[in-house]
DNA sequence: GTGGCGTGTGGAACCGGTTCCACAACCCCC
DNA sequence: GGGGGTTGTGGAACCGGTTCCACACGCCAC
């Protein structure tokens, strides 16, 4: 049976209020008294009850983190950044994972409860307007990661910039005909970062008076197999692209497989760029866009702590820069 | 400001005790009264405060999950199984990640606190004896996953069986000279599952009157590069093995790289088997051992729920079977 | 009619903290 | 030496649930 604040008070011969003041290092405690209380705390191996604290303070000391597809490497990496930052702040991290639309709706309905959490961090999930209204009513601070909502603080990586980076890298190699393999343009779950990367590519090309042909844009399910199929048809077309930008490494690997089965040499006849820099990208030798994923998590936690402390919600949007990692799947355009 | 049980009691014209009885569907409540209370609950959109509940019940409704290397795919997959099972049981999952020895010790010191958690699930972490004593004193139920401790309930995959499975597969292909690439035999963090897989390999070979040569066993750090280096020296030896079993897919991919740089054909001249069946194994075409990872998580949660309800700690050890996934890196032994 | 029992109910006490109020002790100054 | 301010402290009230006790009421049996 763990000791309570009352036990400590008795042992130190003081009142409960005084022990509480010592615990929270409040002023107006005589140094001698403080020492006696600390001694009693040590002697009894007293640790304040989180439950009682929460009830009394009406703060839970815990943050709900809602993830979409927990098992994706990019999500886990973000989670790691969040966990580490939350530990430093002595906040508990409660993870809620979403894999289906039903669960998404259930989670977003149940989560805005001030008596359960002090704040919400949503990864790749943006609330609908009715959900937002409910969150607002609950008074809970929210920070989005890798998601967009005009009215909520969010930490994102520069998807448009990443698309431009990829395109410019290929343009420098002299490529003129580009292909793009992306996610479904209107995902039922999650956020269209794929679309923003595509926009970045388009912007970079336009600066050179170029454009990507509609038949060289293929969007669909986030699997390797699907990407391979899409790529195979694209590469069989007459004026096939000399460079393909994929919205994820998983897709890029599908692209590489398609090239292999068609006997197209990479990077001799075709350059390929991925996105995410997952572990697999390294050993496949895939050129890709690297994002500071763990850092997005850490930044989001800092924003959250600020919001809990009452800071303003500005700047709403925090954008972290991405970088290009060149490996062995990109090279000069074929003559 | 959310409604409290007092508000409901007033609205329904009953006492707080009655509302509580209705909430917890206790007997001895008049159906008419019950209906009136439920009506009031609905009208006020009342949700009981978790904090107050916890304090009063002296139960936290949350489970601490301690992970070693959260970002490894196998760990995340287990976590997914745990999360899903905990949600079904209306328990919160609080994740604590370990990356360093210091943090390991800090987490194991802080975590056995009954006022914070109702139970502990440790993934790939086993407590020392002094830590175990402290956990025992706290009275918290513990379940280990992928970890061994003679006195604690645990859910593991059949590592020895997995090793045997791999070896038997290669024996059927006529291989006689085997190599093994494993983790450090005495890891500072974590559990020597690598060693148990090695034991399985040894057992299977012995049944055929074979043994693995000491110079064909290389153990070290869990990285691809390291595995590649170890393999290169092993493959340069005179009577090099015709089949290599790696204790993880990451290592196996290092093995494949080594073979490629030395110009050794896989599976023509060398067969390679990994362990884990991570996503990358699929697109590399790696033959590997598949483990029911998410299921270990779910099983652990069920054990935990049983323990919380007061079930006995037997059976202490629960072993889940593994299976072999044959892809393109194994084949008949060279003549 | 009355004693005994079961059922439904209100309300006090409790879980273990925090906060606020009241008050004592002391210092200082006029 | 009395009024006013500061400092340190104890203790009550509170956070919002659960649980237990006491009691009212109805029913049945003797």
């Amino acid at each position: 049976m763990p000791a309570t604040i009352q036990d400590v008070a008795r042992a130190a011969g003081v009142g409960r209020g005084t022990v509480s003041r010592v615990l929270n290092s409040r002023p107006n405690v005589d140094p001698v008294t403080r020492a006696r209380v600390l001694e009693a705390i040590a002697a009894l191996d007293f640790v304040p009850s989180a439950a009682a604290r929460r009830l009394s303070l009406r703060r839970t000391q815990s943050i709900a983190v809602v993830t979409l597809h927990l098992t994706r490497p990019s999500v886990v990496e973000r989670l790691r950044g969040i966990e580490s930052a939350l530990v430093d702040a002595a906040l508990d991290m409660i993870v809620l994972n979403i894999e289906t639309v039903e669960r998404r709706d259930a989670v977003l309905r149940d989560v805005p409860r001030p008596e359960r959490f002090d704040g919400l961090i949503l990864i790749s999930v943006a609330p609908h307007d009715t959900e937002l209204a409910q969150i607002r009513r609950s008074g809970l601070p929210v920070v989005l990661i890798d998601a967009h909502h005009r009215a909520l603080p969010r930490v994102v990586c520069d998807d448009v910039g990443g698309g431009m980076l990829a395109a410019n890298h290929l343009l420098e190699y002299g490529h003129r005909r580009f292909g793009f393999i992306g996610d479904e343009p209107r995902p039922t779950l999650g956020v269209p970062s794929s679309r923003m990367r595509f926009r970045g590519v388009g912007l970079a090309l336009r600066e050179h008076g170029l454009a990507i042909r509609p038949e060289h844009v293929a969007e669909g399910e986030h699997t390797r197999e699907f990407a391979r199929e899409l790529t195979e048809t694209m590469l069989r077309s007459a004026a096939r692209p000399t460079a393909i930008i994929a919205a994820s490494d998983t897709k890029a690997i599908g692209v590489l497989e398609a090239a292999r089965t068609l006997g197209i040499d990479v990077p001799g006849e075709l350059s390929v760029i991925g996105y995410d820099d997952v572990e697999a990208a390294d050993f496949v030798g895939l050129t890709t866009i690297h994002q500071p994923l763990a850092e997005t998590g850490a930044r989001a936690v800092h924003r959250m702590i600020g919001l809990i402390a009452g800071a303003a919600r500005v700047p709403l949007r925090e954008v972290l820069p991405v970088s290009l990692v060149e490996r062995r799947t990109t090279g000069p355009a074929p003559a």
Side-chain angles (χ1 to χ4, degrees), chain A:
Chain A
M1 184 59 60
T4 73
I5 204 170
Q6 182 67 275
D7 303 331
V8 175
R10 244 194 307 269
V14 300
R16 298 201 293 166
T18 304
V19 178
S20 176
R21 277 183 285 266
V22 171
L23 280 175
N24 298 287
S25 35
R26 287 253 153 56
N28 298 349
V29 180
D30 188 287
V32 179
T33 313
R34 179 184 303 273
R36 221 171 48 239
V37 171
L38 289 175
E39 206 176 312
I41 288 174
L44 295 172
D45 191 22
F46 166 73
V47 182
S49 149
R53 197 146 207 286
R54 293 189 222 272
L55 177 58
S56 175
L57 287 176
R58 319 170 105 227
R59 257 193 286 118
T60 67
Q61 310 284 19
S62 55
I63 302 288
V65 178
V66 178
T67 63
L68 182 64
H69 302 308
L70 171 60
T71 43
R72 291 207 185 149
S74 57
V75 175
V76 188
E77 191 60 24
R78 292 192 150 104
L79 206 58
R80 191 171 67 92
I82 294 173
E83 197 267 351
S84 162
L86 283 179
V87 164
D88 293 344
L91 290 167
D92 284 340
M93 169 173 93
I94 290 160
V95 179
L96 298 157
N97 185 35
I98 296 178
E99 306 270 349
T100 64
V101 179
E102 294 75 42
R103 179 119 168 80
R104 178 203 175 282
D105 294 344
V107 167
L108 273 127
R109 176 164 30 77
D110 290 344
V111 117
R113 294 241 296 274
E115 73 279 3
R116 285 198 62 192
F117 308 111
D118 288 351
L120 312 177
I121 294 180
L122 310 184
I123 304 181
S124 307
V125 179
H128 304 149
D129 282 350
T130 54
E131 291 164 346
L132 176 60
Q134 203 196 333
I135 293 173
R136 280 280 157 77
R137 242 179 294 129
S138 78
L140 281 184
V142 194
V143 178
L144 308 185
I145 297 181
D146 181 41
H148 296 269
H149 193 292
R150 65 195 178 297
L152 291 174
R154 49 202 191 271
V155 179
V156 295
C157 290
D158 188 1
D159 285 315
V160 173
M164 294 181 70
L165 213 54
N168 282 326
H169 171 71
L170 294 168
L171 284 165
E172 279 169 28
Y173 268 136
H175 292 270
R176 315 283 294 173
R177 273 203 313 282
F178 292 78
F180 183 84
I181 302 283
D183 285 339
E184 303 143 272
R186 305 234 20 97
T188 47
L189 282 171
V191 189
S193 12
S194 166
R195 268 273 133 174
M196 314 211 58
R197 293 167 192 175
F198 180 63
R199 263 184 41 208
V201 172
L203 284 174
L205 293 188
R206 198 166 318 149
E207 281 179 15
H208 289 69
L210 296 171
I212 196 162
R213 297 193 194 178
E215 68 266 31
H216 291 165
V217 177
E219 292 170 310
E221 220 180 286
H222 181 89
T223 66
R224 208 173 70 250
E225 289 74 17
F226 210 83
R228 192 186 56 210
E229 287 172 31
L230 290 178
T231 308
E232 283 191 24
T233 49
M234 188 188 298
L235 287 180
R236 271 194 247 272
S237 70
R240 70 170 192 228
T242 66
I244 293 186
I245 298 172
S248 76
D249 287 346
T250 302
K251 285 169 182 295
I253 287 167
V255 172
L256 292 179
E257 288 181 341
R260 203 198 312 159
T261 54
L262 295 180
I264 297 174
D265 183 54
V266 173
E269 300 171 86
L270 179 72
S271 285
V272 178
I273 293 195
Y275 212 107
D276 283 342
D277 196 18
V278 301
E279 206 194 352
D282 185 13
F283 61 73
V284 171
L286 180 68
T287 297
T288 190
I289 303 293
H290 177 87
Q291 310 178 75
L293 295 170
E295 203 189 325
T296 60
R299 293 294 320 144
V301 170
H302 290 138
R303 291 298 305 271
M304 175 58 62
I305 290 170
L307 291 174
I308 291 174
R313 277 211 298 270
V314 288
L316 270 182
R317 190 152 159 274
E318 207 166 328
V319 180
L320 271 52
V322 299
S323 56
L324 184 125
V325 180
E326 180 166 8
R327 295 203 180 90
R328 302 187 304 274
T329 57
T330 50

